[in-house]
């Protein structure tokens, strides 16, 4: 079959989603041309990928990384750009058809929004941008007719299980599955002393450090609940979190006639990434076929909101709406970083998140600049709380 190659920009190319994306693209060289790659700290990886995929440009955060990258690329034809504005330019460049938004945290917000405004096919892994600015992002998609495809495995599953026109016809509710993370059965008393190594050792998925800690605290499920409300235009009461430790069902949609549609597969992000890249077609991803003969059982349970207060905080933040989810997200980025830095304990993460959420003011969402200001204020407040615990 002949394809007009899709031109792709991979933002956050050096991370877990970015590397999985390049792995899928490499399996289908006739379908994709890589236009741009961005990396934040791992210049060795970025240089190797530039040599391999020959993008027209690359983006790094600062002059030091720029020099480091150029040393690794003696005779490169790739123009290297610096800073957040360059990410925005690449996300909206006329040459680009598809943007993989795989930066971690609110740092991906401006570039995700730029891709939406520019009407790109936007493959959204960067869930934090939806949590912080769902109203603005969904507005931009609607106005520009961008094609927004969720890459988060749960949301990709829900997208696949909804009616093909993404209408809500006959939809009763959404069942958002959660593995439960590594501490699902850890005695409560031990939860205060768990280490970053234990927290990032996820039982079923291999991911970046921040999302791995979020999965252990169930903040990831909270962020995903908020993400799902925006993506699928539903209220939080229409979403039920179901703990499913095997991570074989990636989420489900319940219909009024009693049908429940599930999307299943091996826990491998290359499946949702391939779905997004090939959409509306399908193509191979390299993931292992699900072997039903080896699947002993599928288990389901309710989430424990007392053990995992972050899930409750996210539910409260979404119910309050406005700028509150942005506050929670910023507080969480700070508390997770402090935990990974051994400055605070694991159970201090929900504590700090809640303190910041209670202390900061609330308001309706007005603009991106306002949200960035809220993000800054919440980070400053979180820094004070973290300092007080050290
Ligand atoms: P990661 O830490 O492995 O990679 C993050 C990428 O972002 C790297 O390329 C890094 O260089 C870049 N980056 C970090 N800070 C940056 C900054 N300030 N400015 C610009 N770039 C920056 O993370 P990941 O696991 O690949 O996750 C990426 C996003 O995808 C997150 O939002 C995460 O929640 C989401 N996601 C990941 C998975 C997964 O399986 N890893 C699954 C679902 C959703
Ligand atoms: Mg997910």
């Amino acid at each position: 079959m002949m394809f007009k190659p899709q031109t792709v920009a991979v933002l956050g190319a050096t991370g877990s989603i970015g590397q999985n994306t390049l792995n899928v693209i490499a399996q289908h060289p006739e379908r994709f041309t890589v236009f741009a790659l961005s990396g934040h700290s791992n210049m060795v990886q970025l240089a190797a990928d530039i040599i391999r995929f020959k993008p027209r440009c690359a983006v790094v955060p600062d002059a030091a990384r720029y020099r480091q990258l150029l040393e690794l690329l003696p005779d490169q034809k790739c123009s290297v750009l610096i800073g957040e504005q360059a990410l925005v330019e690449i996300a909206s460049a006329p040459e680009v058809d598809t943007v993989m938004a795989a930066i971690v945290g609110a740092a991906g917000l401006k570039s995700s929004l730029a891709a939406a405004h520019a009407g790109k096919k936007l493959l959204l892994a960067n869930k934090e941008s939806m949590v912080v600015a769902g109203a603005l992002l969904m507005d931009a998609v609607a106005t520009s007719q961008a094609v927004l495809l969720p890459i988060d495995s749960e949301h990709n599953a829900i997208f696949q299980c909804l009616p093909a026109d993404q209408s809500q016809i006959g939809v009763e509710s959404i069942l958002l599955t959660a593995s439960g993370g590594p501490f699902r059965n850890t005695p409560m008393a031990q939860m205060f002393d768990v280490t970053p190594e234990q927290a990032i050792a996820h039982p079923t998925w291999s991911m970046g450090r921040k999302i791995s800690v979020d999965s252990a605290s169930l903040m990831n499920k909270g962020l995903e609940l908020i993400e799902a409300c925006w993506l699928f235009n539903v209220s939080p009461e229409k979403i039920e979190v179901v703990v499913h430790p095997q991570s074989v069902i990636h989420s489900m949609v319940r219909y009024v006639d009693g049908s429940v549609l599930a999307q299943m597969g091996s826990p491998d992000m290359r499946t949702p990434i391939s779905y997004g890249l090939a959409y509306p077609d399908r193509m191979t991803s390299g993931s292992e076929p699900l072997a039903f003969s080896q699947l002993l059982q599928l288990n389901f349970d309710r989430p424990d909101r007392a053990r995992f207060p972050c899930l409750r905080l996210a539910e409260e933040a979404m119910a309050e709406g406005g700028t509150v989810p942005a506050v929670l997200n910023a507080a969480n980025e700070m508390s997770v970083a402090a935990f990974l830095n051994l400055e605070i304990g694991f159970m201090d993460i929900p504590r700090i998140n809640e303190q910041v959420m209670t202390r900061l003011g609330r308001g309706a969402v007005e603009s991106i600049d306002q949200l960035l200001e809220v993000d800054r204020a919440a980070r400053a407040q979180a820094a004070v709380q973290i300092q007080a615990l050290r």
Side-chain angles (χ1 to χ4, degrees):
M1 225 196 293
M2 289 289 288
F3 301 99
K4 178 184 168 288
Q6 256 180 76
T7 307
V8 186
V10 185
L11 309 183
T14 53
S16 163
I17 292 288
Q19 290 292 299
N20 275 307
T21 303
L22 292 177
N23 176 298
V24 171
I25 286 176
Q27 296 174 50
H28 301 278
E30 73 294 356
R31 279 181 176 251
F32 304 101
T33 308
V34 177
F35 177 79
L37 297 175
S38 90
H40 200 67
S41 48
N42 189 346
M43 294 300 115
V44 172
Q45 185 64 57
L46 186 59
D49 291 331
I50 290 172
I51 291 164
R52 183 162 179 215
F53 292 93
K54 303 183 176 50
R56 196 102 70 76
C57 35
V59 182
V60 298
D62 51 38
R65 265 38 172 274
Y66 176 88
R67 283 191 296 274
Q68 193 190 346
L69 186 64
L70 287 201
E71 270 173 33
L72 294 162
L73 296 170
D75 48 22
Q76 47 100 28
K77 290 189 196 67
C78 165
S79 38
V80 181
L81 312 170
I82 301 179
E84 196 179 21
Q85 191 51 36
L87 292 173
V88 167
E89 278 160 29
I90 279 181
S92 43
E95 296 91 337
V96 170
D97 304 312
T98 300
V99 174
M100 168 54 84
I103 290 172
V104 59
L109 176 53
K110 281 190 182 169
S111 49
S112 298
L113 202 53
H117 275 301
K120 303 299 183 195
K121 177 170 166 183
L122 171 56
L123 310 185
L124 189 72
N126 176 223
K127 69 188 87 192
E128 294 90 348
S129 61
M130 190 59 88
V131 170
V132 174
L136 303 181
L137 205 46
M138 294 310 286
D139 254 12
V141 168
T143 317
S144 70
Q145 300 192 335
V147 176
L148 174 58
L149 297 165
I151 297 305
D152 215 339
S153 57
E154 295 78 2
H155 305 73
N156 191 271
I158 295 161
F159 187 91
Q160 294 192 46
C161 295
L162 282 171
D165 62 359
Q166 293 293 302
S167 72
Q168 305 286 330
I169 297 172
V171 172
E172 170 91 28
S173 63
I174 285 172
L175 300 161
L176 183 69
T177 55
S179 72
F183 306 136
R184 193 167 55 90
N185 296 317
T186 305
M188 194 62 197
Q190 285 175 26
M191 300 264 289
F192 291 85
D193 302 318
V194 297
T195 64
E197 287 67 37
Q198 290 170 316
I200 62 180
H202 197 275
T204 48
W205 293 97
S206 154
M207 310 180 287
R209 280 154 53 93
K210 190 258 178 185
I211 183 176
S212 298
V213 175
D214 285 348
S215 299
S217 69
L218 284 206
M219 178 49 90
N220 184 50
K221 215 43 59 181
L223 297 175
E224 291 186 353
L225 176 100
I226 298 173
E227 182 187 13
C229 289
W230 286 114
L231 278 171
F232 307 117
N233 190 26
V234 295
S235 57
E237 309 82 68
K238 286 265 184 189
I239 302 177
E240 187 185 336
V241 176
V242 178
V243 174
H244 164 49
Q246 291 87 3
S247 305
V248 163
I249 293 176
H250 299 308
S251 276
M252 300 175 266
V253 174
R254 190 195 294 280
Y255 284 85
V256 289
D257 61 4
S259 304
V260 176
L261 300 195
Q263 187 263 0
M264 305 169 80
S266 304
D268 185 331
M269 287 308 292
R270 292 177 302 175
T271 297
I273 290 168
S274 293
Y275 180 90
L277 283 170
Y279 183 85
D281 293 346
R282 296 267 184 177
M283 65 183 189
T284 56
S285 68
S287 76
E288 279 296 314
L290 201 55
F292 283 89
S293 56
Q294 283 163 33
L295 270 186
L296 297 178
Q297 51 188 344
L298 297 182
N299 298 90
F300 303 96
D301 200 353
R302 273 191 296 262
D304 182 343
R305 286 175 177 72
R307 174 194 287 266
F308 299 110
C310 285
L311 179 58
R312 171 180 59 78
L313 292 178
E315 288 166 339
E316 289 171 12
M318 190 62 203
E320 284 204 55
T323 55
V324 183
V327 169
L328 176 59
N329 178 71
N332 185 62
E333 287 193 35
M334 291 290 288
S335 56
V336 169
F339 169 67
L340 286 170
N341 247 347
L342 304 173
E343 293 167 41
I344 61 170
F346 182 71
M347 293 306 284
D348 292 329
I349 294 174
R351 216 170 120 194
I352 286 169
N353 294 355
E354 183 153 26
Q355 283 169 344
V356 176
M357 232 171 91
T358 341
R359 272 160 209 250
L360 252 76
R362 280 114 173 82
V365 171
E366 289 155 16
S367 66
I368 179 78
D369 288 336
Q370 170 220 20
L371 286 172
L372 292 171
E373 187 44 48
V374 166
D375 177 84
R376 268 192 293 276
R379 281 169 202 266
Q381 181 59 239
V384 171
Q385 308 293 343
I386 290 165
Q387 192 60 38
L389 283 178
R390 285 172 69 186

